[in-house]
């Protein structure tokens, strides 16, 4: 058990890590109320960080278009968490989820800390954890509310593990939306470079086109 100091909220006490991987998830108490803290984990580079790059180079003697995709050694985990906070806030409560804070989380006061999300802790199982029989009973009752939730804000990574059911089974919460970042640089020379970072997992990797190279490889383009 430990504690985290969160700017603007105070001290989250009795913190215990409940999930480790690309992002670590902690459960703690803020003034007696259970909260969740999500930070980039040690497993982030290996678990699900994917970066796709597109480069266009023009000159009088040479032109090339390159594409590359890879699981990144250095991926912008903090930026992805910040984008997740924006996605959740944009739902305006339709997912029954919220962000209490998005910023530095410190194990001790005065330390630089790491970027993290502080959110309500939602008790109850995920839809994926229920038996098939209970899923079949609940899904028809959920459909209208689920439709309204997704119409208000697209999720992008919806599956049973991202839907939490209240213990009374009278409401559900959508968590962990898909997040991605796109950076585009255009230079006066006409060269351009785009970088798209998003989260995935090796088991989903066959669904992604890792290398699309119609003319030249990215590594062969002049630097």
């Amino acid at each position: 058990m430990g504690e985290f100091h969160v700017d603007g909220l105070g001290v989250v006490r009795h913190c215990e890590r409940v999930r480790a991987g690309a992002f670590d998830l902690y459960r703690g108490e803020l003034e007696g109320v259970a909260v969740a803290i999500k930070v980039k984990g040690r497993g982030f580079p290996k678990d699900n960080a994917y970066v796709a790059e597109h480069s266009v180079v023009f000159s009088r003697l040479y032109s090339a278009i390159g594409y590359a995709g890879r699981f990144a050694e250095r991926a912008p985990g903090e930026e992805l968490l910040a984008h997740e906070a924006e996605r959740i806030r944009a739902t305006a409560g339709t997912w029954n989820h919220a962000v209490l804070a998005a910023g530095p989380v410190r194990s001790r006061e005065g330390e630089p800390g790491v970027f993290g999300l502080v959110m309500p802790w939602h008790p109850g199982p995920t839809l994926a954890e229920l038996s098939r029989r209970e899923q079949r009973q609940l899904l028809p009752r959920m459909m209208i509310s689920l439709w309204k939730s997704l119409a208000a804000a697209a999720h992008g990574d919806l599956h049973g593990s991202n839907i939490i059911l209240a213990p009374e089974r009278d409401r559900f919460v959508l968590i962990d939306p898909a997040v991605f970042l796109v950076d585009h640089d255009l230079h006066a020379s006409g060269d351009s470079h785009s970088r798209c970072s998003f989260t995935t997992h090796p088991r989903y990797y066959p669904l992604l086109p890792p290398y699309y190279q119609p003319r030249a490889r990215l590594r062969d383009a002049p630097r």
Side-chain angles (χ1 to χ4, degrees):
M1 293 289 184
E3 62 182 33
F4 287 114
H5 297 255
V6 182
D7 291 355
L9 284 184
V11 182
V12 180
R13 305 185 188 279
H14 310 299
C15 294
E16 179 183 6
R17 188 170 65 178
V18 295
R19 188 182 73 193
F23 294 97
D24 290 349
L25 187 68
Y26 293 83
R27 184 190 185 280
E29 293 184 6
L30 177 65
E31 299 179 352
V33 178
V35 296
I37 300 178
K38 185 176 182 179
V39 298
K40 187 174 79 169
R42 294 181 179 179
F44 183 87
K46 298 178 181 179
D47 277 6
N48 68 353
Y50 186 86
V51 174
E53 297 193 27
H54 170 219
S55 178
V56 181
V57 180
F58 294 103
S59 70
R60 293 182 179 179
L61 300 177
Y62 183 89
S63 66
I65 301 176
Y67 299 84
R70 67 186 187 280
F71 282 91
E73 297 179 358
R74 296 182 180 179
E78 292 80 7
E79 292 89 339
L80 290 170
L81 281 174
H83 188 216
E84 179 176 344
E86 294 176 6
R87 296 285 312 278
I88 295 172
R89 285 169 171 159
T91 68
T94 58
W95 291 1
N96 296 319
H97 197 22
V99 174
L100 304 178
V105 174
R106 304 174 176 87
S107 56
R108 293 184 180 84
E109 190 66 36
E111 289 185 349
V114 297
F115 189 91
L117 300 186
V118 183
M119 302 166 286
W121 178 267
H122 301 289
T126 65
L127 183 64
E129 293 171 333
L130 302 181
S131 66
R132 292 294 181 89
R133 179 180 179 181
E134 191 169 5
Q135 289 180 15
R136 288 194 295 267
Q137 291 174 342
L138 286 173
L139 277 171
R141 294 162 47 194
M142 295 169 55
M143 289 307 298
I144 294 178
S145 296
L146 184 60
W147 180 272
K148 291 180 178 178
S149 299
L150 298 177
H155 188 280
D157 187 27
L158 190 65
H159 52 78
S161 297
N162 286 343
I163 303 176
I164 298 177
L165 280 302
E168 299 79 10
R169 307 293 193 268
D170 59 348
R171 65 196 295 268
F172 62 84
V173 179
L174 301 186
I175 62 171
D176 293 344
V179 292
F180 62 94
L181 299 170
V182 178
D183 298 317
H184 182 69
D185 296 320
L186 179 62
H187 305 285
S189 62
D191 300 353
S192 68
H193 178 259
S194 299
R195 183 174 187 262
C196 177
S197 305
F198 54 96
T199 55
T200 184
H201 190 278
R203 67 174 175 266
Y204 304 136
Y205 187 65
L207 302 179
L208 302 172
Y211 294 97
Y212 173 61
Q213 302 160 334
R215 294 179 61 184
R217 296 191 177 194
L218 184 63
R219 64 171 178 261
D220 296 332
R223 302 186 182 276

